Amino acid sequence: MKASAPRFALAAMSSIASIGPGIAAEPLEARDMLELAVLALKGDEATALEMFNRGHPAFRRGDLYVYCADANGKILAHGLPDLIGRDLAALKDKTGKEFGLQLLNEARWERIKVIGYYLPKPNASKEVYKEDYFTKVGKLTCGVGYYSTKDE
């Protein structure tokens, strides 16, 4: 299924490019990216994780990126490279919210959920409100989030 991943990427990017100016693109792009990531993981998990960490354009655009953690909570892919290898369950935001643990506990197969928390943008240190779409794919918990202008 490795050969079909680029087709999924092209289809997703075509879909995203057609979003009209009156629609909030980031939430739609985040959900589309997660759905594409799920397809890639189902096709070839190792290659998909490599693409996520390399910043392949289908899985990294601006502040949007895919992250995944294994069944033990170890982060295998993330847009903030310093988090790779860390325990997702141990992550808390500036309000004390244990969002990592919540992600691991609430992720379900074939179901996309939403969570909000604070996290710095890539190459920044100030925590900003972020909303993520997340799901379970095999033994992985994966998500894609966008940084929002609203507060929790």
Side-chain angles (χ1 to χ4, degrees):
M1 181 127 179
K2 287 182 189 178
S4 58
R7 279 197 311 244
F8 292 129
L10 289 174
M13 286 189 264
S14 296
S15 171
I16 290 166
S18 66
I19 295 172
I23 299 173
E26 285 185 343
L28 296 176
E29 288 178 288
R31 187 173 174 112
D32 286 349
M33 188 180 289
L34 177 59
E35 289 175 358
L36 178 61
V38 168
L39 291 173
L41 287 162
K42 286 180 178 179
D44 185 331
E45 185 178 294
T47 299
L49 289 170
E50 181 184 326
M51 291 172 76
F52 303 161
N53 282 330
R54 261 196 352 245
H56 186 282
F59 305 110
R60 177 74 188 249
R61 279 189 308 282
D63 291 337
L64 296 177
Y65 53 82
V66 178
Y67 63 86
C68 293
D70 67 15
N72 296 318
K74 180 180 177 183
I75 299 172
L76 304 176
H78 205 287
L80 299 174
D82 291 345
L83 293 180
I84 296 172
R86 293 196 37 204
D87 181 7
L88 180 61
L91 297 182
K92 297 178 185 179
D93 71 7
K94 68 181 183 180
T95 69
K97 182 175 188 172
E98 295 177 322
F99 67 89
L101 185 60
Q102 188 175 347
L103 284 163
L104 291 169
N105 288 336
E106 292 184 13
R108 300 288 182 266
W109 293 276
E110 306 293 325
R111 183 167 179 218
I112 294 176
K113 298 185 80 178
V114 179
I115 186 173
Y117 58 94
Y118 291 86
L119 191 75
K121 289 184 177 186
N123 302 316
S125 58
K126 180 183 175 196
E127 291 189 14
V128 179
Y129 189 68
K130 181 178 185 195
E131 292 182 334
D132 287 8
Y133 292 98
F134 66 100
T135 192
K136 190 167 271 298
V137 185
K139 294 182 179 183
L140 300 177
T141 297
C142 298
V144 176
Y146 63 95
Y147 293 91
S148 174
T149 57
K150 69 178 186 178
D151 280 331
E152 194 169 18

